[in-house]
Amino acid sequence: MKVKVSRKAHFNAAHRLYRPDWSFEKNNAVFGKCNNPNFHGHNYELVVSATGEIDPVTGFVIDIKVLKDLIKSEVEEAFDHKNLNVEVSEFKELNPTAENIAVVIWNKLRPHIAADKELEVTLYETPRNFVTYSGD
Amino acid sequence: MKVKVSRKAHFNAAHRLYRPDWSFEKNNAVFGKCNNPNFHGHNYELVVSATGEIDPVTGFVIDIKVLKDLIKSEVEEAFDHKNLNVEVSEFKELNPTAENIAVVIWNKLRPHIAADKELEVTLYETPRNFVTYSGD
Amino acid sequence: MKVKVSRKAHFNAAHRLYRPDWSFEKNNAVFGKCNNPNFHGHNYELVVSATGEIDPVTGFVIDIKVLKDLIKSEVEEAFDHKNLNVEVSEFKELNPTAENIAVVIWNKLRPHIAADKELEVTLYETPRNFVTYSGD
Amino acid sequence: MKVKVSRKAHFNAAHRLYRPDWSFEKNNAVFGKCNNPNFHGHNYELVVSATGEIDPVTGFVIDIKVLKDLIKSEVEEAFDHKNLNVEVSEFKELNPTAENIAVVIWNKLRPHIAADKELEVTLYETPRNFVTYSGD
Amino acid sequence: MKVKVSRKAHFNAAHRLYRPDWSFEKNNAVFGKCNNPNFHGHNYELVVSATGEIDPVTGFVIDIKVLKDLIKSEVEEAFDHKNLNVEVSEFKELNPTAENIAVVIWNKLRPHIAADKELEVTLYETPRNFVTYSGD
Amino acid sequence: MKVKVSRKAHFNAAHRLYRPDWSFEKNNAVFGKCNNPNFHGHNYELVVSATGEIDPVTGFVIDIKVLKDLIKSEVEEAFDHKNLNVEVSEFKELNPTAENIAVVIWNKLRPHIAADKELEVTLYETPRNFVTYSGD
């Protein structure tokens, strides 16, 4: 019996969407208000899901406290109250779009989740804009 | 790297569930209170998702502002503050159940989304009743 | 010790905002899309609050099951899946704005709540538009 | 046209996570605060989804009122305001983790949903912890 | 300039509503399913609000981190994953209705909030049932 | 009949909490992670409420479309996707705490709301931290 276990977490951060190899005008045309050079920010809501067989001994697919602590150490401590462009090494040369942030989070978590479990990350940039990445 | 990008939107409308070729009694037996000939209504919440490869140049699967404007022009302007049965041509001969509304929205959006992206529509008729259609 | 006890409920309905003694043009100028003669609709969320002393015997200000049943009999059965303009007598000559609906609900509930308790009604017409009436 | 139709429901219950064949210390090490022998509790939110073809006659995949009544008779009446460990037979020898509760609910509902429809159950133990089971 | 500052927190617990000096039948008549002798439970959501003047030096009415830590030490550590009737001394002889729990929380927090600030507690027993106490 | 009419809006922004006349260490001691010199950010949710008599002609206390447009022109256009410290003149010498932002928004809106109506502003910095200001 395969069950998907999900944990919701939260962090807030500043970011700017732009490419340094483009002119300001071109960045504005593509990224609009998100290109503000003084940054803007979001309360990111994050859902991390691990899918696998229920352990018949514990009744757990994964101990959700372990998942919670993993999100805290790998994501919240790295991103919360940070400027993603300036302070988070993964975005030094990668545009911190919601899509790219989700992929970065997935890559950070994947080594810590047992290989027989599938991993999925959903990231809400706002309550109305969100993305999902499953490693495909 | 394939990511699913979702945008949440909103419209409200009146509707009535019934078949004109059935008696009022038969419509009542099948559609209950939803068969009220004077109509009732809902705040519909709509989530539209496009799944595809991240463009390595922009970091976007799809510009969510483009998706937002597309939902506005194709769905909100056509359905918001409308009587679905009386004023929306797609429901002239199609019962506006949540299932059928979701299919109609999907069909309206599909031509405007690049063919290499998958499209999914989730429609909340109420916070407790919702449907999802992916074109299958 | 005075405590405010609140119960959230739900109904959906169709309505139209207009004055029959105004021209269609004037109604449009004032009520915009809400003047659609074919009606539109909402999922109304309703919060009813009674404030009073805690009964030291039961620990209740009011039995919330009683409050729930009262909202059901007085509001949900009268308004749910109805056309407010056409089918609800209170709006035969009263424009069913959120403000007026809240006042009507308050007036319907007030006789059923003990006189030593204050009554407040909050009505969400949409998740972003809501009104509160306390009988003042 | 296959559509997934979802209904959200609610029940609250007490439970305790532990294995009677383990020592209290071992149960504490694995289940932490959830091993409280005096029980703790949750407001469980439940989403039940049935996926199948739209019936061209009614426009329904499944009558959501039927689905609502089925959840009420099979799940709410069995679990609501109950102590899962003590009063629900399925958990007499099965640890009531969110994973196991979701599987039990799926097994209770499956015989009542037409065989050509897929069934999925999502159970929120808290707003931040939830699980999904599809019968795989 | 007086501002009300609010912090939302969470705990879950088991409880039973009854009076030991009443018969089981009388408790059932008054408390219904909540009188289950095996207990049931809830995810309680708690909003604690302090109202006072903005400190012109910091721009804070109260440091919300201090408020968060206070709720944690006084409420969450005392109530979370507990059986309120059996394990929380305040409810040894007090029926743990939402009203009474809110008053107990208010009394526990009041000594730790500066006397020139007003304190208010809102407790959600479920998303649809909640109470507010302000010390009046 | 006095009714409180509320409209919910949204903006996102970057900010930093600090006093330029304090050392970095002192700012860190008081403002913690919020003192990040590279900024962080939030999705601010804003509720603006006007309380007054129902106009018997329209059934409105205030046309909520007017209120929506006012919030857009006075708040969203000034704050959305901005760095509050760097780009919003009101915070050039005022620490952008939630308390101070709420007061600034209230002061910006007050001249545009009829004098016989009370005005209240609630600002959510995160879903768990929020403040309310009524001009007192």
Side-chain angles (χ1 to χ4, degrees):
Chain A
M1 291 174 302
K2 289 180 75 171
V3 170
K4 180 180 183 176
V5 174
S6 299
R7 172 72 192 173
K8 194 172 179 187
H10 176 91
F11 63 92
N12 56 69
H15 79 154
R16 173 194 179 186
L17 300 187
Y18 78 115
R19 289 184 62 95
D21 58 334
W22 283 359
S23 68
F24 187 76
E25 289 69 26
K26 182 160 185 189
N27 275 307
N28 257 9
V30 174
F31 298 113
K33 291 186 295 183
C34 299
N35 178 39
N36 183 340
N38 294 312
F39 308 104
H40 63 287
H42 298 290
N43 300 323
Y44 292 93
E45 297 281 338
L46 174 68
V47 176
V48 177
S49 304
T51 304
E53 296 288 331
I54 301 180
D55 178 339
V57 177
T58 59
F60 287 157
V61 168
I62 186 172
D63 183 342
I64 209 152
K65 197 185 165 308
V66 170
L67 186 57
K68 175 187 174 184
D69 291 345
L70 178 63
I71 298 169
K72 180 160 192 177
S73 64
E74 292 297 315
V75 183
E76 292 176 44
E77 288 178 8
F79 292 4
D80 188 41
H81 280 75
K82 294 288 171 62
N83 183 311
L84 298 180
N85 303 71
V86 175
E87 297 175 288
V88 178
S89 60
E90 286 88 349
F91 302 108
K92 279 282 150 61
E93 305 200 351
L94 181 70
N95 203 7
T97 60
E99 288 93 327
N100 282 336
I101 301 173
V103 171
V104 164
I105 290 172
W106 192 93
N107 287 334
K108 287 171 72 86
L109 295 175
R110 182 68 267 188
H112 303 279
I113 304 283
D116 62 347
K117 290 184 178 55
E118 300 159 40
L119 177 64
E120 184 181 271
V121 164
T122 295
L123 182 72
Y124 290 77
E125 192 173 83
T126 74
R128 294 189 173 270
N129 297 345
F130 52 103
V131 301
T132 302
Y133 180 61
S134 308
D136 296 328
Chain B
M1 291 174 304
K2 287 180 78 174
V3 170
K4 179 181 184 175
V5 174
S6 299
R7 171 73 191 173
K8 193 173 179 187
H10 177 90
F11 62 91
N12 55 68
H15 79 154
R16 174 193 178 185
L17 300 187
Y18 77 117
R19 288 184 62 94
D21 57 334
W22 283 359
S23 68
F24 187 76
E25 288 67 29
K26 183 161 184 188
N27 274 308
N28 256 11
V30 174
F31 299 115
K33 290 187 294 182
C34 299
N35 178 39
N36 183 341
N38 294 310
F39 308 104
H40 64 286
H42 298 290
N43 299 323
Y44 291 93
E45 298 281 338
L46 173 68
V47 176
V48 176
S49 304
T51 303
E53 295 289 329
I54 301 180
D55 178 339
V57 177
T58 59
F60 287 157
V61 168
I62 186 172
D63 183 342
I64 208 153
K65 198 186 165 308
V66 170
L67 186 57
K68 175 188 174 183
D69 292 345
L70 178 64
I71 298 169
K72 180 160 192 176
S73 63
E74 293 296 316
V75 183
E76 292 177 45
E77 288 178 8
F79 291 3
D80 188 39
H81 280 75
K82 294 286 171 62
N83 183 311
L84 297 181
N85 302 71
V86 175
E87 297 176 289
V88 179
S89 60
E90 286 87 351
F91 301 109
K92 280 282 151 65
E93 306 200 351
L94 182 69
N95 202 6
T97 60
E99 289 92 326
N100 282 336
I101 301 173
V103 172
V104 165
I105 290 173
W106 192 93
N107 287 334
K108 287 172 72 85
L109 295 174
R110 182 66 270 187
H112 303 279
I113 304 283
D116 63 345
K117 291 185 177 55
E118 300 159 40
L119 177 64
E120 184 181 271
V121 164
T122 296
L123 182 73
Y124 290 76
E125 193 174 81
T126 74
R128 294 190 172 271
N129 297 347
F130 52 102
V131 300
T132 302
Y133 180 61
S134 309
D136 296 330
Chain C
M1 292 175 301
K2 287 180 78 174
V3 170
K4 180 181 183 175
V5 174
S6 300
R7 172 72 192 173
K8 194 174 178 185
H10 176 90
F11 62 92
N12 56 67
H15 78 155
R16 174 193 179 185
L17 300 188
Y18 77 117
R19 289 184 62 94
D21 57 333
W22 283 359
S23 69
F24 187 76
E25 289 67 29
K26 182 159 185 189
N27 275 307
N28 256 10
V30 173
F31 298 114
K33 292 187 293 184
C34 299
N35 178 39
N36 185 339
N38 294 310
F39 306 104
H40 63 287
H42 298 289
N43 299 322
Y44 292 92
E45 298 280 340
L46 173 68
V47 177
V48 177
S49 305
T51 304
E53 296 289 329
I54 302 179
D55 177 340
V57 177
T58 59
F60 287 158
V61 167
I62 186 172
D63 183 342
I64 208 152
K65 197 182 167 310
V66 170
L67 186 56
K68 176 187 175 184
D69 292 344
L70 177 63
I71 298 169
K72 181 159 190 176
S73 63
E74 292 297 314
V75 183
E76 292 177 45
E77 288 178 7
F79 292 4
D80 188 40
H81 281 74
K82 294 288 171 62
N83 183 311
L84 299 180
N85 303 71
V86 175
E87 297 176 289
V88 179
S89 61
E90 285 87 350
F91 302 109
K92 280 280 150 67
E93 305 200 350
L94 182 68
N95 203 7
T97 60
E99 289 93 326
N100 281 336
I101 301 172
V103 171
V104 164
I105 290 172
W106 193 93
N107 287 334
K108 287 171 71 84
L109 295 174
R110 182 67 269 187
H112 303 279
I113 304 284
D116 63 344
K117 292 186 177 52
E118 300 160 40
L119 176 65
E120 184 182 271
V121 164
T122 295
L123 182 74
Y124 289 77
E125 192 174 82
T126 75
R128 295 190 172 271
N129 297 347
F130 51 102
V131 300
T132 303
Y133 180 61
S134 310
D136 296 331
Chain D
M1 291 173 302
K2 289 180 78 173
V3 169
K4 180 181 184 174
V5 174
S6 299
R7 172 73 193 173
K8 193 173 179 186
H10 177 91
F11 62 92
N12 56 68
H15 78 155
R16 174 194 178 183
L17 300 187
Y18 78 116
R19 288 184 62 94
D21 57 332
W22 283 359
S23 69
F24 188 77
E25 289 68 27
K26 183 161 184 187
N27 275 308
N28 257 9
V30 173
F31 299 113
K33 291 186 293 182
C34 299
N35 178 38
N36 184 339
N38 294 311
F39 308 103
H40 64 287
H42 298 289
N43 299 322
Y44 291 93
E45 298 279 339
L46 173 69
V47 177
V48 177
S49 304
T51 304
E53 297 288 331
I54 301 180
D55 178 339
V57 177
T58 59
F60 287 158
V61 168
I62 186 171
D63 182 342
I64 208 152
K65 197 185 165 309
V66 170
L67 186 56
K68 174 187 174 184
D69 291 346
L70 178 63
I71 298 169
K72 180 158 191 175
S73 64
E74 291 297 314
V75 184
E76 292 176 46
E77 287 179 8
F79 291 4
D80 188 41
H81 280 76
K82 294 286 171 61
N83 183 311
L84 298 180
N85 303 69
V86 175
E87 297 175 287
V88 179
S89 61
E90 286 87 350
F91 302 109
K92 280 281 150 67
E93 305 201 352
L94 182 68
N95 204 6
T97 60
E99 290 93 328
N100 282 337
I101 300 173
V103 171
V104 165
I105 290 172
W106 192 94
N107 287 335
K108 287 171 71 85
L109 295 174
R110 181 68 269 186
H112 303 279
I113 304 283
D116 63 346
K117 291 185 177 53
E118 300 159 41
L119 177 64
E120 184 181 272
V121 164
T122 295
L123 183 73
Y124 289 77
E125 193 173 80
T126 74
R128 295 189 172 270
N129 296 347
F130 51 103
V131 301
T132 302
Y133 180 61
S134 310
D136 295 329
Chain E
M1 292 176 301
K2 289 180 76 171
V3 170
K4 180 180 182 174
V5 174
S6 298
R7 172 72 191 173
K8 194 173 179 186
H10 176 91
F11 63 91
N12 56 68
H15 78 155
R16 172 193 180 185
L17 300 188
Y18 77 117
R19 289 184 61 95
D21 58 333
W22 284 359
S23 68
F24 187 75
E25 289 67 27
K26 181 161 186 188
N27 275 308
N28 256 10
V30 173
F31 299 114
K33 291 187 294 183
C34 299
N35 178 39
N36 184 339
N38 294 311
F39 306 104
H40 63 287
H42 298 289
N43 299 323
Y44 291 93
E45 298 280 339
L46 173 68
V47 176
V48 177
S49 304
T51 304
E53 296 288 330
I54 301 179
D55 178 339
V57 176
T58 58
F60 286 156
V61 167
I62 186 172
D63 183 343
I64 208 150
K65 197 185 166 307
V66 170
L67 186 56
K68 175 187 175 184
D69 292 346
L70 178 63
I71 297 169
K72 181 161 191 174
S73 64
E74 292 297 315
V75 183
E76 293 177 43
E77 288 179 8
F79 292 3
D80 188 42
H81 280 75
K82 294 287 171 61
N83 183 311
L84 298 181
N85 302 71
V86 175
E87 297 176 288
V88 179
S89 61
E90 285 88 350
F91 302 108
K92 280 281 151 63
E93 307 200 349
L94 182 68
N95 203 7
T97 59
E99 290 92 326
N100 282 336
I101 300 172
V103 171
V104 164
I105 290 173
W106 193 93
N107 286 334
K108 287 173 71 85
L109 295 174
R110 181 67 267 188
H112 303 278
I113 304 284
D116 62 346
K117 292 183 178 54
E118 300 159 40
L119 177 65
E120 185 181 272
V121 164
T122 296
L123 182 73
Y124 289 77
E125 193 174 82
T126 75
R128 294 189 172 271
N129 297 347
F130 51 102
V131 300
T132 302
Y133 180 61
S134 308
D136 295 330
Chain F
M1 291 173 302
K2 289 181 76 174
V3 170
K4 180 180 184 175
V5 174
S6 298
R7 171 75 193 173
K8 193 172 178 186
H10 177 90
F11 62 92
N12 56 69
H15 77 156
R16 173 193 179 186
L17 299 188
Y18 79 117
R19 288 183 62 96
D21 57 332
W22 283 359
S23 69
F24 187 77
E25 288 70 26
K26 182 159 184 190
N27 275 307
N28 256 10
V30 173
F31 299 113
K33 291 186 293 182
C34 300
N35 178 39
N36 183 339
N38 294 311
F39 307 105
H40 64 287
H42 298 289
N43 298 323
Y44 291 93
E45 298 280 341
L46 173 68
V47 177
V48 177
S49 304
T51 304
E53 295 289 330
I54 301 180
D55 178 338
V57 176
T58 59
F60 287 158
V61 168
I62 186 172
D63 182 344
I64 209 152
K65 196 183 166 310
V66 169
L67 186 57
K68 176 187 174 184
D69 292 345
L70 178 64
I71 298 169
K72 181 160 190 177
S73 64
E74 292 297 314
V75 183
E76 291 177 46
E77 288 178 9
F79 291 3
D80 188 41
H81 280 76
K82 294 288 170 62
N83 183 311
L84 297 181
N85 302 71
V86 175
E87 297 175 289
V88 179
S89 60
E90 284 88 349
F91 302 109
K92 281 281 150 66
E93 305 200 351
L94 182 70
N95 204 8
T97 59
E99 289 93 326
N100 282 335
I101 300 172
V103 171
V104 164
I105 290 172
W106 193 93
N107 287 335
K108 288 172 70 85
L109 295 174
R110 181 69 268 186
H112 302 279
I113 304 284
D116 62 346
K117 291 185 177 53
E118 299 159 41
L119 177 65
E120 185 182 271
V121 164
T122 295
L123 183 73
Y124 290 77
E125 193 173 80
T126 75
R128 293 189 173 273
N129 297 346
F130 51 103
V131 301
T132 302
Y133 180 60
S134 310
D136 297 329

